[in-house]
């Protein structure tokens, strides 16, 4: 373990994330009442929706850092983009898996080629491709340039995922508004969203640090053979 | 609680995935820090202050 003040801060954030998610899970499972229409299975919303939102946020960060990299050609932006893409992929896999677990008892199927599900699967494929393309270039600048182009073009699909339930008639429900949801459900969802956001910050701190160390190792190996 | 199996599976999967990814990242971080520390120890004049403890199991 590296001993720095940054890792000390990351540990504090990690413990806070763990505590927040413990409370969020407890409230989502045992405190907030079951949904009047769907019953208890709606409790999966408290992990499914935050995972989806954090996936969107992760890929927005990839887009932003990719633009910054192409403007400034600074590898620090590439490291942030790479880290956020990897974490975004984890959140997207979770979103799809949790959606599937929610879909089976609600819709009767694990998977259907519904526009929301299909565009989310495409989003996952784009960012898995983003991570894969990085392994095709040895030169860090070339790798960062290729990845930045994919990170910018690939982001075009993210608003499509969000708007798919509005644009097309889908099996997936449209986004709920705070006025149509009871306060207990809304606050529990917001609390879990906050917990997931702190988890994202923690994971990003660790993953960016890893990308930095791996970059330095790669640089030294290239320099010394 | 109806659909208990799906609910338990969903929350368990979420916890397991996030803990696994965090563990994996920290483990990779430990390995990279150790490799960099070994490198700086064996290369005079390249020390830049990285410290690492024993390599992770």
């Amino acid at each position: 373990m590296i001993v720095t003040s940054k890792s000390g801060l990351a540990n504090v954030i990690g413990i806070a994330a763990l505590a927040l998610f413990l409370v969020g899970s407890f409230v989502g499972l045992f405190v907030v009442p079951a949904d009047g229409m769907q019953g208890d299975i709606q409790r999966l919303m408290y992990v499914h929706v935050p995972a989806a939102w954090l996936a969107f946020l992760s890929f927005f960060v990839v887009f932003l850092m990719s633009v910054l990299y192409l403007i400034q050609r600074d590898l620090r932006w590439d490291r942030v983009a790479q880290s956020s893409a990897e974490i975004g992929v984890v959140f997207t896999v979770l979103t799809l898996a949790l959606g599937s677990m929610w879909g089976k008892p609600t819709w009767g199927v694990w998977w259907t080629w519904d526009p929301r599900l299909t565009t989310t699967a495409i989003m996952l494929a784009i960012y898995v491709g983003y991570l894969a393309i990085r392994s095709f270039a040895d030169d860090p600048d070339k790798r960062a340039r290729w990845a930045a182009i994919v990170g910018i073009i690939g982001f075009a699909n993210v608003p499509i995922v969000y708007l798919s339930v509005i644009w097309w008639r889908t099996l997936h429900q449209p986004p709920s508004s705070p006025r149509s949801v009871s306060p207990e459900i809304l606050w529990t969802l917001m609390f879990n969203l906050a917990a997931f956001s702190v988890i994202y910050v923690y994971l990003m701190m660790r993953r960016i640090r890893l990308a930095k160390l791996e970059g330095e190792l790669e640089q030294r190996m290239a320099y010394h053979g | 609680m109806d659909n208990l199996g799906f609910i338990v599976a969903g929350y368990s999967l979420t916890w397991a995935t996030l803990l696994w990814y965090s563990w994996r990242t920290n483990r990779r971080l430990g390995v990279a820090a150790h490799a960099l520390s070994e490198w700086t120890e064996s290369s005079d004049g390249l020390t830049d202050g990285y410290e690492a403890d024993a390599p992770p199991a």
Side-chain angles (χ1 to χ4, degrees):
Chain A
M1 185 75 71
I2 304 165
V3 184
T4 64
S5 58
K6 275 185 183 172
S7 77
L9 177 65
N11 289 340
V12 170
I13 292 174
I15 291 165
L18 194 69
L20 282 170
F21 192 35
L22 261 175
V23 174
S25 297
F26 181 79
V27 173
L29 282 170
F30 304 111
V31 178
V32 71
D35 179 68
M37 298 276 282
Q38 294 192 32
D40 287 307
I41 194 66
Q42 175 269 341
R43 294 181 191 280
L44 284 178
M45 183 184 77
Y46 305 121
V47 280
H48 173 70
V49 173
W53 284 358
L54 263 295
F56 290 156
L57 174 73
S58 303
F59 299 143
F60 177 66
V61 170
V62 175
F63 169 76
L64 210 59
M65 293 300 124
S66 299
V67 172
L68 275 174
Y69 173 76
L70 288 181
I71 293 169
Q72 298 187 351
R73 303 288 166 151
D74 186 335
L75 284 173
R76 279 180 304 176
W77 305 131
D78 177 59
R79 287 196 290 266
V80 179
Q82 177 195 7
S83 304
S84 198
E86 194 177 285
I87 295 166
V89 163
V90 172
F91 280 126
T92 308
V93 169
L94 257 184
T95 303
L96 285 171
L98 290 166
S100 190
M101 287 175 186
W102 193 355
K104 178 62 180 165
T106 312
W107 301 336
V109 287
W110 292 101
W111 177 266
T112 177
W113 293 102
D114 169 275
R116 169 57 71 87
L117 275 65
T118 306
T119 51
T120 306
I122 292 169
M123 183 172 79
L124 176 63
I126 288 170
Y127 288 95
V128 168
Y130 170 95
L131 294 173
I133 207 168
R134 302 184 65 90
S135 59
F136 295 134
D138 289 332
D139 175 50
D141 293 308
K142 188 189 279 185
R143 181 169 55 215
R145 198 164 59 247
W146 287 1
I149 292 165
V150 177
I152 291 168
I153 296 172
F155 186 72
N157 184 54
V158 175
I160 297 173
V161 176
Y162 181 76
L163 294 167
S164 60
V165 288
I166 298 166
W167 285 349
W168 296 291
R169 183 185 292 273
T170 66
L171 199 55
H172 192 285
Q173 69 178 62
S176 305
S177 96
R179 280 171 298 190
S180 65
V181 177
S182 78
E184 297 100 324
I185 288 178
L186 183 65
W187 282 110
T188 308
L189 179 62
M190 290 300 136
F191 188 90
N192 275 285
L193 179 63
F196 270 65
S197 301
V198 180
I199 291 169
Y200 172 75
V201 171
Y202 168 72
L203 293 177
M204 278 294 279
M205 288 179 81
R206 306 310 282 168
R207 188 61 187 82
I208 292 168
R209 183 84 180 133
L210 172 62
K212 186 171 189 289
L213 294 192
E214 285 179 342
E216 292 195 17
L217 264 176
E218 186 184 47
Q219 204 175 14
R220 287 177 190 211
M221 281 174 180
Y223 186 74
H224 295 283
Chain B
M1 199 180 277
D2 52 319
N3 289 306
L4 186 64
F6 289 105
I7 297 165
V8 170
Y11 276 81
S12 303
L13 178 75
T14 307
W15 272 94
T17 304
L18 295 175
L19 287 174
W20 164 79
Y21 183 74
S22 171
W23 169 81
R24 179 177 175 271
T25 304
N26 280 314
R27 187 177 180 279
R28 288 174 68 192
L29 197 48
V31 170
H34 183 72
L36 205 53
S37 152
E38 293 270 293
W39 190 283
T40 48
E41 276 171 25
S42 63
S43 314
D44 288 338
L46 289 172
T47 308
D48 62 358
Y50 284 104
E51 291 176 54
D53 55 17

